[in-house]
Amino acid sequence: MAARCAAECTDTMQPIGLFGGTFDPIHYGHLRTAFELRQLLRLTEVRFLPTGNPPHREHTIANAELRLRMVRAAVAGEPAFTVDDREMRRSGVSYSVDTLAELRAEHPHRSLCLLLGMDAFLGLPHWHRWRELLELAHVVVAHRPGWKAPTQGPLGEIMVDHGTGSIRDLHDRPAGRVYIHAVTQLEISSTELRQLILAGRDPRYLVPDEVRRILLDTQCYSPQT
């Protein structure tokens, strides 16, 4: 009985990676980061959470339905990647703290890992109720090799109080740690990708083939739109 309980508890704590973003459009930079972090952290899955109404941008170029379609097409070939559309179904502005609160209620004992890029992490103090995030999840920061974490200001304080260099911490507790690790940085941005398409150039090899087909079929970033 005790052995079975221990096994069930270990299984419950297996971390879920949460990868949010506008994905306007999704590209190989997003996918490679998620893939490396899943392997490194031994995540049972990475959930892609396309933002519905992002608080830090006036609007997205592609509509929610199309962005969701592209994300689903992009992750279809990776069994450990899933798509969660809750932020698109939610009315009003999409705040990460609300999403994490929902997920925590659904998985009260599960380790949740919010996956962020370096730029997002540096802007974290501007997020809505940002200090509550660590009560709900771990924060995992993917960065370029050679980059160093902040040592001063609010993020410096967070690193002192919550920083860890142990992957085990992400498996042993449901929330509360900040883990930073270098990943392969593909120099692709959604903004530059949209500009490339606007200029009439082919996005081949920057996005999965299925996403490329959607972009070509819908012409969602072409001049006439």
Side-chain angles (χ1 to χ4, degrees):
M1 179 68 72
R4 187 178 68 179
C5 179
E8 289 175 352
C9 290
T10 300
D11 182 66
T12 299
M13 288 297 292
Q14 288 181 346
I16 300 173
L18 306 171
F19 195 174
T22 54
F23 302 121
D24 192 19
I26 192 169
H27 53 68
Y28 277 130
H30 298 127
L31 297 169
R32 183 64 198 181
T33 294
F35 182 75
E36 289 191 14
L37 290 178
R38 187 191 73 79
Q39 289 193 317
L40 171 73
L41 305 179
R42 302 189 301 276
L43 305 174
T44 50
E45 66 173 290
V46 174
R47 292 191 189 183
F48 287 74
L49 293 123
T51 305
N53 185 17
H56 303 298
R57 287 177 55 176
E58 292 184 4
H59 62 86
T60 57
I61 306 302
N63 62 37
E65 180 182 359
L66 184 54
R67 289 185 291 112
L68 179 61
R69 180 183 166 194
M70 288 191 284
V71 172
R72 284 177 170 157
V75 307
E78 175 50 61
F81 288 173
T82 59
V83 181
D84 188 324
D85 66 351
R86 73 181 65 219
E87 291 195 358
M88 291 188 162
R89 291 184 278 105
R90 183 186 301 147
S91 60
V93 175
S94 296
Y95 290 116
S96 295
V97 67
D98 295 330
T99 299
L100 290 178
E102 288 181 4
L103 287 163
R104 177 51 66 205
E106 294 168 13
H107 305 283
H109 306 295
R110 196 82 179 264
S111 171
L112 302 178
C113 296
L114 180 63
L115 310 182
L116 299 179
M118 176 178 61
D119 291 343
F121 179 64
L122 293 177
L124 203 61
H126 302 291
W127 289 28
H128 181 60
R129 291 160 51 200
W130 72 281
R131 292 187 181 275
E132 296 178 33
L133 298 176
L134 282 166
E135 299 173 12
L136 301 166
H138 302 295
V139 172
V140 175
V141 185
H143 69 90
R144 290 178 174 83
W147 179 79
K148 294 183 179 179
T151 57
Q152 298 180 345
L155 290 180
E157 295 173 6
I158 287 293
M159 290 305 304
V160 170
D161 294 338
H162 299 275
T164 183
S166 172
I167 294 173
R168 186 74 257 167
D169 283 346
L170 307 182
H171 287 253
D172 287 346
R173 60 188 68 195
R177 293 299 189 188
V178 178
Y179 182 87
I180 298 179
H181 198 276
V183 298
T184 303
Q185 293 287 331
L186 302 182
E187 296 298 329
I188 309 171
S189 77
S190 295
T191 299
E192 292 173 353
L193 187 51
R194 293 194 302 269
Q195 292 171 348
L196 179 147
I197 297 170
L198 184 63
R201 297 167 62 190
D202 193 333
R204 185 189 292 270
Y205 307 125
L206 297 174
V207 298
D209 287 342
E210 286 299 320
V211 173
R212 175 177 175 267
R213 276 191 278 272
I214 293 171
L215 292 172
L216 296 178
D217 288 346
T218 62
Q219 297 290 301
C220 59
Y221 303 121
S222 63
Q224 61 265 31
T225 61

